[in-house]
Amino acid sequence: MHSVVCIKQVPDSAQIRVHPVTNTIMRQGVPAIINPYDLFALEEALRLKDRFGGKVTVITMGPPQAEVALRKALSFGADDAILVTDKSFAGADTLATSYALAATIRQIAKESPVDMVFTGKQTIDGDTAQVGPGIAKRMDLQLLTYVSRIVSVDQDKREIVVERRAEGGVQVLKTSLPCLITMLEGSNQMRFGTMPDMFRAARYEMKFWDKTAAGIEDVTKIGLKGSPTVVNKVFTPSPRSEKAEMIAVEGGSPADVAVALLAKMAARFPLVEKELAKRA
Amino acid sequence: MSEETQVKKKRKIVLDERLLAYKGVWVFIEHERGQVHPVSWELLGEGRKLADMLGVELAGVVLAAPGEEAKRFCEEAYQYGADLCYLMQSEVLADYRNDPFTQGLTELVNAYQPEILLLGATTQGRDLAGSVATTLQTGLTADCTGLTIDPDNRSLLSTRPTFGGSLLCTIVTLNYRPQMATVRPRVMAMPEKVPGRVGRIVEHPLAMAEDDIVTKVLEFIADDSRDKPQLPFADIIVAGGRGLGKPENFQLVRDLAEALGAEVGASRPVVQAGWVELDRQVGQSGKTVRPKLYIAAGISGAIQHRVGMEGADCIIAINNDPNAPIFDFAHYGIVGDAMTILPALTEAFRQKLATLKQAG
């Protein structure tokens, strides 16, 4: 069983700050992490390797410093890692990104056929959930999104049964390998890396693939050129036309403030008053 | 709702001759187990505005098993504002599966060429949108919080949070059509239903048989919704954030919610810290809510949270920082310690409800 896991290095969003005056993102000092959703994908691939043997290859497209994320993935037990990095990828939207990653996975499959491709359900910086489906369509793989559990794998018949989170319930789906799975969060728990894996990860000779190595033939499909969407502007939302009415009672207790608030609200928001009456 | 503070030079968008033929606004009508997802009606409300701005028709797109149900979905779509429905009926469309739905929607787009295609940002809508956009090789913007038309060039301007919800950005699709976007449930207001409003059906066959489809649905296990929080449709929500200091203090939020018969919500940091379960997270990476009353205690009001709750009719914010951004868009603000104000509010609301009860 050969699984390819696509990961992304993202800024730890909990620590992103916006400059109060210039409204620009302050990137300095924000630690980079593996997109947390991708860890569920990686763990699931490692479990398949535990059960069926084979290997796990982890890939990412990004700047050279994304090497750190790949080494981290290796320390958890991934066997191989490839960093797809090329200046011509800059400005890629999800369509261009899925083109480059699909090309990379095809190159990998030339050496060792790929049975499964895993991604996280989405990233925490882009939040689009579009790259997984994009790779599947480009490679003509069966697509299984929001998978909460792999129920069974039949290696001889090359069949897999999964539970997929749908609206209002869970779909149990059966399909054929190779397929692409986007893993739902909370579906498993990432293991701790072993000492030998940590040493191996530190010593691992990272593979850097530029666009040629990744087998990309059509340069009009990558980077800014291959991206149908562009960001027109970045901005902060404006306040409502009026700011909040501040409730304060001079020398008053919290109880006085609460009573004052309810009186004001009753006068201005009959809709809320009606809702409260329903609950009385 | 927004005011730009940073503008790049406006990009000129020139469409190829063949793309000029793309006209009209489409909304994918999502359904599961005989129920249309409410996000589809919300999108018809938004789609109506876009279609009117462009002076074009608004269409619902229904892919379903043959039968009365599919026709009923179309009739309902007219009442929510659609002028027509594209209807594709086939036994292979009985359950949602990626392959037949991707092929079906792609065939419809290629045959009838809409300039805008909107889908709900649900597990089904996102699965389908990403696949269709890749197949059509066009642009797709996820989780939009605002949609409008650029009067200069008729392009769709899609606004969405960016950088993990710290800023907003507006995204345009260049020389590609259709322009695709997804919107999360409850982000757009539910339009009024107009009984008796009618439209026309355009039927189109799907060239796909069951044997062509690799993935099979073995079973559908419906959720037991009784023990799940129903945040998106709650009328009153009491939410807490990091300003509460420690997980034990969150009990004060639960107490107020209980007094009001309200749902409990939370901001991302406290969900990530494990104080509150994931189902209760309000914001860009959690649930979008539109209650009549939203009480936020110890929540600063970062964009990532704001986009999930600013549709509330009345917002009360409690924060000890008078400069917290939440006071920019709340209706009422109390500067102070949530630890003392929450219990006072709980008591005041209890008395209020008792008075209302007596008044009958």
Side-chain angles (χ1 to χ4, degrees), chain A residues 120-143:
Chain A
K121 88 166 180 180
Q122 66 195 63
T123 58
I124 61 164
D125 59 346
D127 275 318
T128 70
Q130 284 162 207
V131 172
I135 296 170
K137 288 293 139 184
R138 289 183 181 283
M139 299 186 68
D140 202 15
L141 300 173
Q142 289 301 306
L143 171 63

Side-chain angles (χ1 to χ4, degrees), chain B residues 22 26 104-114 117 132 136 178:
Chain B
Y22 282 70
W26 285 14
L105 189 52
T106 306
E107 277 179 19
L108 284 171
V109 167
N110 285 331
Y112 301 100
Q113 307 191 322
L117 170 56
V132 169
L136 293 168

Side-chain angles (χ1 to χ4, degrees), chain B residues 18-181:
Chain B
R18 67 182 179 87
L19 296 180
L20 290 172
Y22 282 70
K23 283 277 176 325
V25 178
W26 285 14
V27 171
F28 173 71
I29 307 296
E30 169 177 342
H31 58 94
E32 186 86 70
R33 313 280 116 184
Q35 293 286 321
V36 172
H37 197 294
V39 72
S40 303
W41 307 142
E42 294 161 11
L43 285 177
L44 280 177
E46 200 61 19
R48 183 72 263 166
K49 293 179 208 160
L50 299 176
D52 291 344
M53 281 186 239
L54 289 164
V56 297
E57 286 191 310
L58 172 67
V61 184
V62 177
L63 278 66
E68 284 310 303
E69 196 172 79
K71 299 260 163 60
R72 181 164 58 77
F73 296 160
C74 295
E75 278 156 23
E76 223 175 331
Y78 307 142
Q79 295 180 9
Y80 280 111
D83 300 307
L84 72 156
C85 279
Y86 292 96
L87 175 60
M88 183 175 261
Q89 299 188 85
S90 163
E91 291 299 344
V92 305
L93 299 169
D95 287 296
Y96 176 75
R97 281 179 294 174
N98 181 271
D99 267 358
F101 274 73
T102 299
Q103 182 165 336
L105 189 52
T106 306
E107 277 179 19
L108 284 171
V109 167
N110 285 331
Y112 301 100
Q113 307 191 322
E115 57 198 301
I116 293 173
L117 170 56
L118 308 176
L119 301 93
T122 58
T123 55
Q124 186 182 122
R126 286 174 149 216
D127 182 275
L128 183 60
S131 302
V132 169
T134 308
T135 310
L136 293 168
Q137 301 275 297
T138 191
L140 166 61
T141 306
D143 292 2
C144 300
T145 54
L147 297 171
T148 191
I149 301 294
D150 185 337
D152 295 343
N153 54 21
R154 292 175 63 92
S155 21
L156 178 68
L157 302 174
S158 308
T159 297
R160 72 182 306 262
T162 183
F163 294 111
S166 344
L167 287 172
L168 293 170
C169 67
T170 300
I171 291 178
V172 292
T173 298
L174 301 174
N175 186 21
Y176 301 81
R177 288 295 178 271
Q179 306 159 89
M180 292 180 61

Side-chain angles (χ1 to χ4, degrees), chain A residues 137 142 145 232 238 240 279, chain B residues 1 98 127 170 215 261 329:
Chain A
K137 288 293 139 184
Q142 289 301 306
T145 51
N232 234 19
S238 57
R240 272 186 214 277
R279 288 156 199 256
Chain B
M1 64 164 249
N98 181 271
D127 182 275
T170 300
T215 299
F329 58 94

